[in-house]
Amino acid sequence: MKQIQCRIAGLLMALVAAGMLAACDGQEPEAQKEKILPPETGQDEAVKIGFSMDTLKEERWLKDRDLFRQAAEKLDAEVEIAAANGDDALQIAQAEAMIQGGIDVLVIVPHNAEATAAIVHKAHEAGIKVIAYDRLVKNADVDLYVSFDNEQVGELQARAILDAVPKGNYAYIGGAPTDNNVHLIKKGVLNVLQPAIDRGDIQIVYDEWTDDWAPENAQHNMAEALRANGNQIDAVIAANDATAGGAIKALAAQGMNGEIPVAGQDAELAAAQRIVAGTQTMTVYKPIQNLTAQVAELAVQLAKGEEVMTSVSVNNGKTEVPSILLAPTAVNAENLENTVIADGFHSKEEVYQELKK
Ligand code: GAL
């Protein structure tokens, strides 16, 4: 089969060289050649996917890694996975090695939305398409962006906390500013809170990003928020469960944990345990199994040169990136069982084990 394709390709090239096609539309032979033959994967060869990850530090990324490998292998694709531990230079080097190693398509979770633009450029030079996974790469010709609707994540968080605290002082514990998601999440939070702010019902008395999404940085920031406001904080919105966990530690140091509503994201096990224990109000559940299944399928399609249709696009500062945004779900003590537990994201035993101690 491969041989036939080469022969057909060779034939086509010869045709192009002979200017046959040029005669049809009057273009220079050179241009013609390029357009006709993208380096698609041979039908009989397994598609090789490169999965370049920022980190495995948060619980969810371990799930992303394992579920993505399973989903891709179910499609008979090979997967090469590398995690850069939050190191931009390492992520670029790892992706370059994958490109030189012969991947057919690159799936990337950028640590730094800007710095990874260089990787997209390199991949395209090698004729390899790029899917931005969960986080957008900025200012580059990304072929596809697949994530959860991050603005909706922020809206779900703010709605839950505003229901619990319609008036008072809020602390906002944002995520890592290098991550494009944090700006979308915060926009969603303000979509919901702004009217209450304008009415003077609530004040955001503290608002800081958390470098590298580190729980210890979030704990430090929350302690600073409490100190600067004489502990007069009535609600906390944290960009994910890891930072919510840090903030709750700072609240506990002041004997305030369980008294102040706190929002998080990711439905981490520790967060689910805090929700049933009453020290965290809610989290946002993003069924990773849906994301990995979709991206694995799309990656194989792109590697085979098939066209992918999307219903929305997201502007990344350079282009309107064709996008697929999946729906997140707000989770609290009431619906934890028929969402996170029902899906097998965590088992009931795991979630309630802390309460049994
Ligand atoms: C975000 C992601 C969140 C969160 C965070 C920290 O981009 O959407 O789910 O986990 O990264 O890694």
Side-chain angles (χ1 to χ4, degrees), residues 54-55 58 60-61 134-135 147 150 179 181-182 185 213 239-240 265-266 268 286:
D54 160 21
T55 179
E58 281 83 25
R60 68 150 293 177
W61 299 116
D134 194 83
R135 299 173 180 173
S147 183
N150 289 288
D179 178 348
N181 284 349
V182 303
I185 297 166
W213 290 99
N240 74 347
Q265 174 197 188
D266 286 338
E268 285 191 353
K286 304 189 292 184

Side-chain angles (χ1 to χ4, degrees), residues 142-290:
V142 178
D143 299 284
L144 194 57
Y145 170 47
V146 188
S147 183
F148 290 90
D149 185 327
N150 289 288
E151 210 171 308
Q152 208 184 335
V153 167
E155 290 169 355
L156 293 173
Q157 292 182 315
R159 211 163 286 131
I161 297 300
L162 197 55
D163 286 351
V165 186
K167 293 188 180 206
N169 290 340
Y170 279 50
Y172 187 69
I173 305 292
T178 49
D179 178 348
N180 186 63
N181 284 349
V182 303
H183 307 289
L184 300 169
I185 297 166
K186 190 172 178 187
K187 182 173 181 306
V189 167
L190 293 175
N191 289 348
V192 171
L193 295 187
Q194 199 58 49
I197 294 170
D198 295 345
R199 284 194 306 271
D201 289 351
I202 67 168
Q203 300 76 39
I204 299 185
V205 293
Y206 186 85
D207 178 355
E208 273 302 333
W209 301 122
T210 305
D211 286 342
D212 261 336
W213 290 99
E216 57 278 12
N217 294 345
Q219 181 176 354
H220 172 81
N221 287 351
M222 188 65 212
E224 176 54 24
L226 290 164
R227 192 199 58 71
N229 294 282
N231 285 359
Q232 298 309 304
I233 301 258
D234 305 298
V236 179
I237 298 179
N240 74 347
D241 289 333
T243 51
I248 289 165
K249 278 194 181 151
L251 289 168
Q254 299 299 317
M256 296 166 71
N257 58 323
E259 291 174 13
I260 309 295
V262 176
Q265 174 197 188
D266 286 338
E268 285 191 353
L269 179 56
Q273 291 168 341
R274 289 193 294 262
I275 287 172
V276 296
T279 56
Q280 183 168 330
T281 311
M282 65 84 69
T283 185
V284 177
Y285 171 45
K286 304 189 292 184
I288 307 289
Q289 57 278 19
N290 300 351

Side-chain angles (χ1 to χ4, degrees), residues 27-91:
Q27 273 194 23
E28 287 311 309
E30 202 46 47
Q32 195 66 16
K33 195 165 26 174
E34 232 174 274
K35 223 186 298 168
I36 289 173
L37 294 171
E40 285 151 14
T41 312
Q43 293 310 317
D44 55 357
E45 259 176 69
V47 164
K48 191 171 175 192
I49 305 173
F51 190 20
S52 165
M53 303 184 75
D54 160 21
T55 179
L56 294 173
K57 192 174 49 146
E58 281 83 25
E59 178 185 289
R60 68 150 293 177
W61 299 116
L62 299 168
K63 272 195 168 68
D64 292 272
R65 177 196 61 188
D66 300 343
L67 291 172
F68 185 76
R69 184 187 294 284
Q70 284 167 25
E73 287 174 356
K74 221 190 253 164
L75 300 167
D76 299 325
E78 276 174 49
V79 191
E80 185 181 339
I81 302 178
N85 243 352
D87 178 332
D88 294 330
L90 179 57
Q91 184 161 31

